[in-house]
Amino acid sequence: MSLAALQLAVRCRQCSSTLQLMRQTPHRQFHYSPAVLARREKKLPTLSKKQLAAKERKRAKKAPKSIYDSEKMTLSDAVEVLRAVEVASPNATYELVVKTEMGKGSTIPKGRFNLPRETKSQGKDRILVFAEGRQAEEAKKAGADIVGGLELVEGIISGRYQATMFLCSRSLIRPITPRLGRVLGPRGLMPSERRGTVTDDIAGYIRRLKGTSEWKGDKEGTIRQPIAKMHFPVSDVMKNVRYFITVVKRATGNIRDPLADSNKKEASQKPVNAITRVLLSTRQGPSIQISDA
């Protein structure tokens, strides 16, 4: 037998032994094979709402605290510090900033108020009322600027009738909604029962509006409001701040609104906008976080 034939025979014998060994060895499952991946998959447990809330509370406790937490002051101390900073500006204005948490399903906080001591002369609202018959007459006597029925719709769309507030009787809200919803809705002026601007007691609503101003938060839930003048006594500044914070807490659901006690079902369903920070500042002074707000 030649040398080449001998080498070929040896190679064939090695190949046959390797093939036999592979047949005897069980099939190896690599880490990326479907069987191994199926064993590695772990089903995550579904948590209830209470368990999710508890998990969030634990996470909040472990989260690092804000560097501003150690800089909080009481309201009286904050007023005194800002007065010292603005000693050369007696006409400077205190600004109150209330930051709320915009949760899922919550609306932008807004409302009306009347400070114990006003910081400036109030602007008069221009009121347009959709009413007919006796309700229209009562609205005119109460001080409404424009009163009418469906004939006002075209004038509002064209811009002929301008107003800062729109009220409507219950009988006319359905006829005007299809045409005015797209015009007044984006501006936040469309009458609605939730805001109280759709009512049959239009005259009483107008009387309650007199002497009040409107406040409104931004899309992030932050409310900014001039609250007092620098030359006010400290007691007057504190009264204004306390009063406005109470109004905001009532509007955001942090304290119960006495007017909503008659409808407890709606009050319980209303989402709460938690107040996270309350800050007091002036034009040249720092922004001080209030600890006892």
Side-chain angles (χ1 to χ4, degrees), residues 26-223:
H27 179 65
R28 181 182 176 186
Q29 294 180 347
F30 296 95
H31 65 279
Y32 52 82
S33 61
V36 175
L37 292 176
R39 287 198 302 268
R40 288 186 177 183
E41 286 183 358
K42 294 182 180 179
K43 293 184 178 180
L44 297 175
T46 56
L47 301 178
S48 63
K49 290 184 178 180
K50 290 184 179 179
Q51 290 174 332
L52 288 173
K55 192 175 180 180
E56 287 295 329
R57 286 195 295 269
K58 289 181 180 179
R59 186 180 299 173
K61 288 181 180 178
K62 293 180 180 179
K65 294 184 178 180
S66 172
I67 60 173
Y68 297 103
D69 289 344
S70 60
E71 297 181 4
K72 293 181 180 179
M73 289 187 183
T74 62
L75 178 58
S76 59
D77 290 343
V79 172
E80 292 294 346
V81 169
L82 294 174
R83 285 170 67 91
V85 173
E86 298 280 358
V87 65
S89 304
N91 290 324
T93 303
Y94 292 97
E95 184 184 50
L96 189 69
V97 178
V98 182
K99 295 189 176 184
T100 64
E101 192 176 82
M102 293 290 289
K104 187 177 181 180
S106 59
T107 58
I108 294 176
K110 64 182 298 185
R112 301 191 72 86
F113 69 103
N114 183 15
L115 292 175
R117 182 171 179 178
E118 293 294 339
T119 58
K120 61 179 180 179
S121 59
Q122 299 175 355
K124 182 183 177 183
D125 285 312
R126 183 171 175 81
I127 303 173
L128 185 147
V129 177
F130 286 100
E132 295 177 338
R134 183 179 177 181
Q135 290 178 335
E137 294 296 329
E138 291 177 351
K140 290 178 181 178
K141 293 179 181 179
D145 298 283
I146 304 171
V147 181
L150 299 179
E151 69 277 4
L152 298 179
V153 173
E154 289 294 339
I156 294 172
I157 295 175
S158 64
R160 188 167 73 252
Y161 298 131
Q162 299 286 339
T164 59
M165 177 166 290
F166 293 80
L167 304 178
C168 184
S169 62
R170 296 182 185 275
S171 60
L172 292 180
I173 185 60
R174 287 189 176 181
I176 70 171
T177 299
R179 301 197 64 191
L180 291 182
R182 296 180 180 180
V183 178
L184 300 180
R187 294 157 55 188
L189 297 175
M190 185 65 192
S192 69
E193 293 188 6
R194 181 176 58 84
R195 295 177 182 172
T197 50
V198 176
T199 176
D200 288 333
D201 185 19
I202 295 177
Y205 190 93
I206 294 174
R207 283 192 290 267
R208 289 193 296 271
L209 285 180
K210 290 182 177 180
T212 62
S213 302
E214 185 180 31
W215 62 269
K216 184 178 181 181
D218 57 18
K219 293 182 179 179
E220 296 180 352
T222 302
I223 304 156

